[in-house]
Every structure is written in structure tokens, then in C-alpha cells.
Amino acid sequence: MAEAQSIDEHAAVREREGWVTGRLVLFCLASVGITVVAGLVQVSFGEYSMTFVEAWKAVFNPTVIFSLDAWSAFLFGTELPNMSTGSVVVWNLRLPRVFVGIIAGATLAVSGAIFQAVTRNELASPFILGVSSGAGFAVLATLVVFSGLSNLLPLVAALGGTVAFVVVYMIAWKGGTSPVRLVLAGVIVNMIFQSLQQGLFFFADDLGVVQTAIAWLTGSLTGTGWGEVRIAIVPAIIAIGIALAGSRQLNVLMLGETTARSLGMQVERVRFFLSAVAILAASVAIAVAGIVSFFGLVVPHIVRNTLGGDYRRLMVGCLFAGPALMVTADVGARLALSGTQIPVGIVTGLIGGPYFLYLMRKQQSMGEL
């Protein structure tokens, strides 16, 4: 019995060594480096004039980093302790935008990767499958009509995304689904919910709400603070944790439905559960950052082309690459036009659109993974 246990332990070690590669470690470290550099650049700009050195000293100020009162104020909304002006500006106004970008980038990337495995469709993403539009309509309705429910935005967005995804599957189902039908159904649902979003503006009486809604529809991190971090961090951790734990099941799904069933998997149950996780992950990002187009499509492809198709590596890679690309794109959105901050969704759309075209031109047979 001891010998059998030893064999199992050696097999487990070999399996871990098989997917935790040097390339994965280097990729994650490079992504962390990019995120840190982009974040430091981001906190160096704003209405309050600070030099790069002053901003970076404020970021690494030990009296803030190791202050329980400060973290209580940031994460739980208690009273902010006495801090220098620079520390208040950086920690209370500028860094939350970076943290929201990290959360949104990670959840959108993980969501896109899950959708591509669940549908076995390399064109799948929250945006393409209509989940973003459904969640966006639900959040926009909350902002414009039911403003008292603003603290429940992740739940509202998840409900809207779930409805949209169910509708997409119903439209695409014809004795089963196919990559082409899913994408076409997603386009249809996208158009419907975008029309509903535009119709909601007729019910908005406050010009400020309209301006906020427009910025939110294009995907923007401008003005985000610790309130958005508090809204998103718990459901983001839950969704990402379950997604990482489900990477083995995603690998099995990629083998095909017949093979997965022969291995004992209850395919429809696993597919439904993982789809719910992907919807939750996308909804978290949409609730705090708006509709950031093409992000969930592009990041998994970049990671897959770099690290391969094993979902244990792919999910970890997305967890690190998503924040790096989101924070970098937000820096570009902030600095692209002098004196004007454009929504980050415009930058990701300008990148994602041509990349989507590149994918279509690269392969003659496009769709199924």
C-alpha cells in the first residue's frame, strides 16, 4: 500500500512538473513587470502635479503599506487615517484605478478562455457571445432606472449576462450547436441588447447619469475608486479560483464531447457550471469597468500562442497577461491625447478588431478548436 501511495505521489509530481514550465514562469514574471511599470506610469499623471519620483515614493510609502487603518479605509470604507497629501492622492485617487484595471483584465481574460473551451470555438468571448451586451444592459438599467441597487451591480450584471447566454444557446441550438451558429447567434443577441441599451437613454433625466452611462458603455476606468474595488474583489476571487480549479475539466472538454463522456464526465452539467463561472467573471469586469470590447477574445489567443493549449497553463497565463494588457491599454487611453482621457474600451477595440481580422485571415477553417 505504501508503494502504491509512493507511485501516486511521483505521478502527481510528474504531472505538476509537466505543466509548470520555465516559459510559464517567465511569462508570468514578464506580465507582472509590465503591470507594475504601467501602474507606476499611471499613478504619475493627474490633476495634482507630482514628479515621477514623488509619485513612486508615495506608492511604496511604508507608513501606508503597513497601516491597518489605511487598509481598513481602502477595503471597508472606514475613516481614512492622517496621511501626506501625496499619499492621499496616489493611494486614494490614482491606485484604485490600477487595481480595478487588474481585476477587470484578469476576469475578462479568464472568462474568454473558459467560453472558448466550453463552446470549443476560438471566436468565443463575452463580447462576441452577447454576454457583455446582456450584462451591460442590466447594469445600464440599474444606473439609469434603479439607481438604488448600485451596490448589487455584479449580481445584476451576472443575471443579465446569464439571460443573454441562454438566449444565444437557444438560438444556436439545432440538435446541438456549432461554432458558426454560436457566433451568429451572439451577433444577433448583441444587436438586440445594444438597441435596448440605447433605448434606456430616453428614460434618463440627469445629464450626469447620461454622461456616465456613455463612458461606461465604451469601457472606461476613469473615475474608478476603492468603491469599485470593494464591489468587485470578492466575486472576482471566487470566479478566478473556481476557474483555476476547473482547468482539468476544460482540458477534457477540449477533447470533444464524445471523448469527455467516455471518460465519465457529465458534459452538460460541467459545461453549464463553467459557463456560469465565465459569466460571473465577465460580469465582475463589466460592473466596474463597463463594456471593454474584444479583450476576452484577444488575451486567451495571445496566451495560447505563447504557452500552448493546456488549460492549466492557459488559465494561469490569462490571470497574469490580462492585468498587464488592461493596465497598459489604460495608460495608452490616458496619454494618447494630451489633456483628454479616452475610454480604455476604444483602445482595446482598436487592437481587438484588427486582431480578429488577422485570426480570420490566418486560418482557412475558422471557428472550432
Side-chain angles (χ1 to χ4, degrees), residues 71-155:
W71 284 107
S72 176
F74 298 149
L75 298 178
F76 301 106
T78 60
E79 185 177 353
L80 197 67
N82 291 328
M83 295 190 295
S84 65
T85 302
S87 295
V88 171
V89 169
V90 169
W91 277 91
N92 206 41
L93 299 178
R94 297 181 183 177
L95 267 179
R97 176 171 178 163
V98 177
F99 291 143
V100 172
I102 290 172
I103 294 171
T107 50
L108 281 177
V110 166
S111 176
I114 294 175
F115 277 127
Q116 289 173 13
V118 167
T119 62
R120 297 190 68 227
N121 185 344
E122 63 183 344
L123 300 179
S125 74
F127 184 78
I128 299 297
L129 291 177
V131 173
S132 293
S133 295
F137 169 73
V139 172
L140 188 59
T142 302
L143 291 174
V144 174
V145 183
F146 308 106
S147 57
L149 300 177
S150 58
N151 290 332
L152 300 176
L153 285 183
L155 177 60

Side-chain angles (χ1 to χ4, degrees), residues 218 292-295 298 325-326 329 343-353:
T218 53
V292 184
S293 59
F294 287 106
F295 198 86
V298 172
L325 292 177
M326 181 66 79
V344 67
I346 294 178
V347 176
T348 59
L350 291 174
I351 296 172

Side-chain angles (χ1 to χ4, degrees), residues 44-320:
S44 302
F45 292 90
E47 294 183 5
Y48 182 81
S49 179
M50 300 177 71
T51 65
F52 284 96
V53 174
E54 289 173 339
W56 298 351
K57 282 184 178 179
V59 171
F60 298 108
N61 185 352
T63 60
V64 178
I65 294 176
F66 299 108
S67 171
L68 294 178
D69 291 336
W71 284 107
S72 176
F74 298 149
L75 298 178
F76 301 106
T78 60
E79 185 177 353
L80 197 67
N82 291 328
M83 295 190 295
S84 65
T85 302
S87 295
V88 171
V89 169
V90 169
W91 277 91
N92 206 41
L93 299 178
R94 297 181 183 177
L95 267 179
R97 176 171 178 163
V98 177
F99 291 143
V100 172
I102 290 172
I103 294 171
T107 50
L108 281 177
V110 166
S111 176
I114 294 175
F115 277 127
Q116 289 173 13
V118 167
T119 62
R120 297 190 68 227
N121 185 344
E122 63 183 344
L123 300 179
S125 74
F127 184 78
I128 299 297
L129 291 177
V131 173
S132 293
S133 295
F137 169 73
V139 172
L140 188 59
T142 302
L143 291 174
V144 174
V145 183
F146 308 106
S147 57
L149 300 177
S150 58
N151 290 332
L152 300 176
L153 285 183
L155 177 60
V156 172
L159 291 175
T162 301
V163 170
F165 189 68
V166 169
V167 172
V168 167
Y169 241 88
M170 290 175 60
I171 295 174
W173 187 269
K174 189 178 180 181
T177 61
S178 71
V180 174
R181 284 207 299 270
L182 280 170
V183 171
L184 291 176
V187 171
I188 294 170
V189 172
N190 248 323
M191 293 174 62
I192 293 172
F193 277 109
Q194 285 176 2
S195 298
L196 292 173
Q197 289 171 8
Q198 294 170 4
L200 281 175
F201 286 108
F202 289 99
F203 297 94
D205 298 326
D206 189 345
L207 181 60
V209 172
V210 172
Q211 291 176 337
T212 300
I214 291 174
W216 182 86
L217 283 174
T218 53
S220 177
L221 300 178
T222 303
T224 53
W226 285 108
E228 285 74 19
V229 175
R230 290 191 286 270
I231 288 173
I233 190 167
V234 172
I237 291 173
I238 293 173
I240 290 172
I242 297 174
L244 292 174
S247 58
R248 294 173 181 269
Q249 284 71 28
L250 292 169
N251 274 335
V252 175
L253 284 176
M254 293 297 294
L255 298 175
E257 188 169 322
T258 303
T259 303
R261 290 186 190 280
S262 68
L263 293 173
M265 174 180 282
Q266 295 179 312
V267 174
E268 295 304 328
R269 182 177 297 180
V270 171
R271 183 179 290 161
F272 178 82
F273 177 73
L274 291 174
S275 296
V277 174
I279 291 169
L280 175 61
S283 300
V284 169
I286 292 167
V288 295
I291 301 175
V292 184
S293 59
F294 287 106
F295 198 86
L297 171 69
V298 172
V299 177
H301 276 284
I302 293 174
V303 177
R304 186 179 290 110
N305 290 336
T306 306
L307 300 178
D310 188 330
Y311 259 79
R312 292 171 297 181
R313 286 194 294 267
L314 183 63
M315 298 301 286
V316 174
C318 285
L319 181 60
F320 285 88

